[in-house]
Amino acid sequence: MVEVARFAVERVEILRPDGTLAAPLPAWAEQPDELIRLYRGMVLTRTYDTKAVNLQRTGRLGTVASSLGQEAVAVGTAAAMRPEDVLLPSFREQGAMFWRGVRIEELLAFWGGDERGSNWAEAREDFPICVPVGSHAPHAAGVACAFRLRHEPRVAVCVLGDGATSKGEVYEAWNLAGVWRLPMVTVVNNNQWAISVPRSAQTAAETLAQKAIACGMPGVQVDGNDVIAVREVVGRAIERARSGEGPSLVEAVTYRLSDHTTADDARRYRDDAEVSTHWKEEPVARLRSLLVARGLWGKEREEALVAGCNREVERAVEAYLARSPAPASDMIDHVFASVPEPLAPQREAILRRAAARAAGAEGAAR
Amino acid sequence: MVEVARFAVERVEILRPDGTLAAPLPAWAEQPDELIRLYRGMVLTRTYDTKAVNLQRTGRLGTVASSLGQEAVAVGTAAAMRPEDVLLPSFREQGAMFWRGVRIEELLAFWGGDERGSNWAEAREDFPICVPVGSHAPHAAGVACAFRLRHEPRVAVCVLGDGATSKGEVYEAWNLAGVWRLPMVTVVNNNQWAISVPRSAQTAAETLAQKAIACGMPGVQVDGNDVIAVREVVGRAIERARSGEGPSLVEAVTYRLSDHTTADDARRYRDDAEVSTHWKEEPVARLRSLLVARGLWGKEREEALVAGCNREVERAVEAYLARSPAPASDMIDHVFASVPEPLAPQREAILRRAAARAAGAEGAAR
Amino acid sequence: MSSMTLVEAVRAALARALEEDPTVLLLGEDVGRDGGVFRATERLFERFGPERVLDTPLSEALFTGLAVGLGAQGFRPVVEFQFDGFMYPALDQLLNHAGRLRARTRGRLSCPIVLRAPYGGGIRAPEHHSESPEGLFAAIPGVRTVIPSSPARAYGLLLAAIRDPDPVVFLEPKRIYRAVREELEDDGRALPLDRAFVLREGRDLTIVAWGALVREVLEAADRLAEEGARAEIVDPATLAPLDAATILASVAKTGRCLIVHEAPRGHGPGAEIAAILAEEGLFSLLAPVARVTGFDAPTPLPRLEGVFLPAEVDILEAAHRLLAHR
Amino acid sequence: MSSMTLVEAVRAALARALEEDPTVLLLGEDVGRDGGVFRATERLFERFGPERVLDTPLSEALFTGLAVGLGAQGFRPVVEFQFDGFMYPALDQLLNHAGRLRARTRGRLSCPIVLRAPYGGGIRAPEHHSESPEGLFAAIPGVRTVIPSSPARAYGLLLAAIRDPDPVVFLEPKRIYRAVREELEDDGRALPLDRAFVLREGRDLTIVAWGALVREVLEAADRLAEEGARAEIVDPATLAPLDAATILASVAKTGRCLIVHEAPRGHGPGAEIAAILAEEGLFSLLAPVARVTGFDAPTPLPRLEGVFLPAEVDILEAAHRLLAHR
Ligand SMILES: Cc1ncc(C[n+]2csc(CCOP(=O)(O)OP(=O)(O)O)c2C)c(N)n1
Ligand SMILES: Cc1ncc(C[n+]2csc(CCOP(=O)(O)OP(=O)(O)O)c2C)c(N)n1
Ligand SMILES: [Mg+2]
Ligand SMILES: [Mg+2]
């Protein structure tokens, strides 16, 4: 019996739940503005989530997935990216999407049932939200492959959940990225739950980071409630990929404080007790403690920030609610670059039906 | 940075290419009959492969995949199984199938284009050959799950190739087996090639055994040209699974000395030089050296064995060639347990067409 | 007798099957404690335990292949897909394995599995949650595709599907999961597969529909009746193998056929029905066959979904066109 | 002008596309040094190098998703599936992503990819190597399904598919890869997509067929001509979106339509054609529409394949039935 390979998985922690330091701050984090930007990103995200859930409850928005308690993963990841990198999000990365320039009203439009919401004005190359779990991982490999073939120093960043790590195409994409040394970084948002299925029922692997070993790439675990550590560890992974050293995986360990979505009732399958213990570790208060301890933050600044975020979200909600409806023909006009001749009659039929519906509505109104 | 997990991958070698011992023989291997049975199993398999390729070349058989040089993997694996275990083979496991009781003429019938070949008389619960690479791995998990639910001390043994380890459902099946601790053993037949794609282009993982780490189960590498080591290591994995300790993966490192199949010409993508170096490691001569060194084998026994295997294969070929054709209605009679009423007219149409073909053939004959 | 919604009827059939046959298993995502996202398996985990109701890791391809292995070993796994749009990874296992395991082993191994999924639009759900993939499944040899359109048919057909020795894709119209209640007896009585249901007799026009749209069709038929036209409503229930005889008999009587479905039109599930009429019912047709369907586009998000999905007005408009032919 | 087989025409089109457009890539299993199992990419690796012709790890789901990512970034990947039976893992990416990336982003991202595969039976191949899945692909919104039936159409349609800004499934009839040679100019001229080809004019009967069976159909037409019946042969070439107009115009002239395909009959690719005739061509039909197809069973292994696959005699027999109607 001879040993032919050995591996270790490491975990990075910087900011403790109580706001004290478990390790020295990275240089960039010594700059107050950097920390405050991260803080603002998380607060804005939480403000949006609260509002979105409220809009859904009051029938003005469809099902939405809150990222309550997980803001550090999305914000820290986006903060580590360059604008020219490409984000391939799952459905809980609003914090990253806003950071990258997606407008709040655009995201609201999407969850409000309007495809135009995915045709956002900034970050044009970023992928739309991916609902079929894990199915965007191969796309990330493709985007990374494009960068590699064009010799561009850009990175494809894929974010997916603990549940998604059970999907075969995720493994396949990682395996390809490994063997082709593609500039692809995957952030596994391990929030401990896939709807009602706990992480422990998803895999027997001690960590999700070690799944990288199967694909011949590095995997590391980070405290996902510590935005500084996330930003730092994901940043290293991204710069490693950018410099041609290949893909890697970052497992960000966090916790889903909210229901899975507004369509879910987590009380059916987990104890409030479990949830409240995790409230002690949530990322926003944690960073605030550091800011306060360093004298960078106080009551006024907090109130101003909260008020600003509220205003920004409110304005976006108004814009969202004021959107004019899209023409029904949109549903076929964008299926192909141009409507194929054989489908022209269907386009007509769509317009006729839309007219009939409108007439019907009027009829009902009268 | 704290270490949260560490892993090592080991490799087992017992019989060196020159027939000397790298490690002491396992107790069972001290019994001459055991070694001779393994030797016979490999020689029979090689005799069959030679004959099958020849039948294909002369138009009496369809495409076939030879296992030349890989006999130890199939034979060693089957020898480690109990009759009540279930084998889920890929398409290169003839050595295992024969060992488990599948008749040579049955396998010939299958490759000769007759489904009846997969309705073999022995090993009734074993799965038929799986052609879509890796797609049988989830079936193995299902079979193992059935054993677990019925509390039966049986094991599902899945054999697949190095190329198959790139398929997502293989990873998914392993991950499930790991988290449910299913009695499933996977033998990865790493013959270095997936048609023209070398192992090195399949994954960046240093070993295929380490892919088990992603699924929270043990993985070990074994010299796949050493039938004693294969039988021993796979045997340990199977008994481990049988005793409820869960799944594991065995990577058997061997080499495909033949073309991929009779439809392939390996000269297009690999050097004969590479192939001939691997001839020095092939499993049959290797075990023969040990038998000879131990005074268990000589010219007469060798000649008798070869003659016996030839006779057995020849008899099977005659039986195969003498098979009466299946009725055309077979193609629809077994789609469902009984032909659904709506399909009855199609059954009639099949019989009419078969008659028309026969008539046409006669017409042509005249 | 108790009054049940469609999803309650599904749950009752699942409970009955688990009760009567120890080889029946429920597999899927969140089918355990959570009781399924639509609560179809609610309390079954508590009642039958973790060896009968199993939450799998998150992969549809996996649990479909898992079911094939379990089925070959004599279990009768019933797997739940959370939504229609997540069934596609199962197609490979259905096409290459489930639908042919019996045929390729000439009966040595078989595949008594059921794949359940809520399907169809109209609940203002997110992307990939409102698909009508029945046509894809109906095209797979060796696989039955069954769709109930009422609580009673959900109960009887699901029991039949579970007891059937071959694979069945069972699509549940989520839009009417809770829309109607029906009095039904939880007596374990199954309804026949491979048999169409004539939901209403009529002699002027045949309307073929399944799933959630059967409601709009019945309402349209009421309107037509007020106008003096009597529509015969045929619900194939089993889309494949398709009971063509019942449809042909109906059209032989009415001379007119309207086919209604949510799925896209082109190469959609209604095409086979129209094709059979063109082949075997041609001379009884007084009017062209008509299809009222979705469009050849991805199901739109909720804002435009109402235009994509056929409504009663569309059915009436088409019916009037056909009735104009005498 | 040079004389080419169908597979040579495919290779010529691939080489031309790689030559004229630096964003064109070839992906797949064994497409590199090996040149593909049918040699369709032979010597292209040597000629264009490892950054244009890439052997992927063994996974069809993977390289399809990979192509989606590359396509969104402006590349034009052409992926080769080794055989029809291995395409099914790609269905999820086609249905949930490739076919809707443009629609769901309202044009922000698109998917200019081509999925090539040899398809169909008749070469006495092993299990899963003789499938006709065109109907499944034709049912996917946002995806074109194209099938050539001659070297010239293979060349022109493949070039069109690669230049097209949207996803195309391109199925190559493997049985005639080397069966016929045709004089053709490697001039980079594409043929139109979404357009059916009238391969022969006639006024007594329309026969619609595609892929390898077009040969049997043309031979059957010769026989019919000897008998004095003139068949019009229509090859849709693009099965979806389907050029119904050309088929309807032909049947308006002939009054009779025979549809021929290898795929299973039920919910098969011929159904949509018959459906359109029932809807829009009814009153020009002198005879019922007829389909000569495979059966609703998995493609049998070679020993029984000859009964499963339509042959000239079956086409003639059906044609005679239709012609008997006056
Ligand atoms: C392929 C697929 N199957 C099922 C679903 C339904 N579903 C939506 S989210 C979810 C759980 C995802 O868990 P995880 O990957 O951990 O992400 P999280 O929701 O925790 O952020 C499931 C099962 C889906 N969207 N896609
Ligand atoms: C899903 C699928 N894709 C492609 C093929 C064609 N094919 C047959 S064998 C093979 C290579 C398999 O390599 P490996 O898994 O190493 O097994 P080996 O042939 O070396 O025994 C390929 C690509 C297939 N059978 N199934
Ligand atoms: Mg999660
Ligand atoms: Mg191999």
Side-chain angles (χ1 to χ4, degrees), chain D residues 287-307:
Chain D
V289 173
R291 285 182 288 176
V292 173
T293 69
F295 300 103
D296 294 2
T299 319
L301 290 182
R303 295 289 166 124
L304 292 178
E305 188 183 30
V307 175

Side-chain angles (χ1 to χ4, degrees), chain A residues 19 83 88 95 97 132 141 196 210 248 257 263 269 280 311 328 354:
Chain A
L88 295 100
M97 294 167 72
S196 72
Q210 76 200 55
S248 59
L257 290 173
Y269 52 80
K280 303 191 186 71
R311 263 198 313 283

Side-chain angles (χ1 to χ4, degrees), chain A residues 352, chain C residues 256 258 265 287-292 314-326, chain D residues 279:
Chain A
R352 275 198 307 279
Chain C
R256 303 178 184 82
L258 174 59
R265 175 192 200 74
V289 173
R291 285 183 287 176
V292 173
D314 312 313
I315 297 162
L316 282 171
E317 188 264 331
H320 290 142
R321 257 191 296 114
L322 298 197
L323 289 165
H325 290 269
R326 339 211 117 273
Chain D
E279 289 177 313

Side-chain angles (χ1 to χ4, degrees), chain A residues 125 127 138-147 149-150, chain D residues 23-25 27 63-79 98 101-102 107-115 162 164-167:
Chain A
E125 292 179 53
F127 263 55
H139 307 158
V143 170
C145 186
F147 296 157
L149 291 172
R150 285 195 301 250
Chain D
T23 68
V24 172
L25 308 171
L27 300 170
F63 64 57
T64 306
L66 176 71
V68 171
L70 283 161
Q73 274 291 313
F75 280 92
R76 290 177 177 269
V78 180
V79 308
L101 186 58
R102 180 190 292 277
R108 182 169 62 84
L109 298 175
S110 64
C111 192
I113 72 175
V114 176
L115 309 187
I162 296 172
D164 186 81
D166 294 300

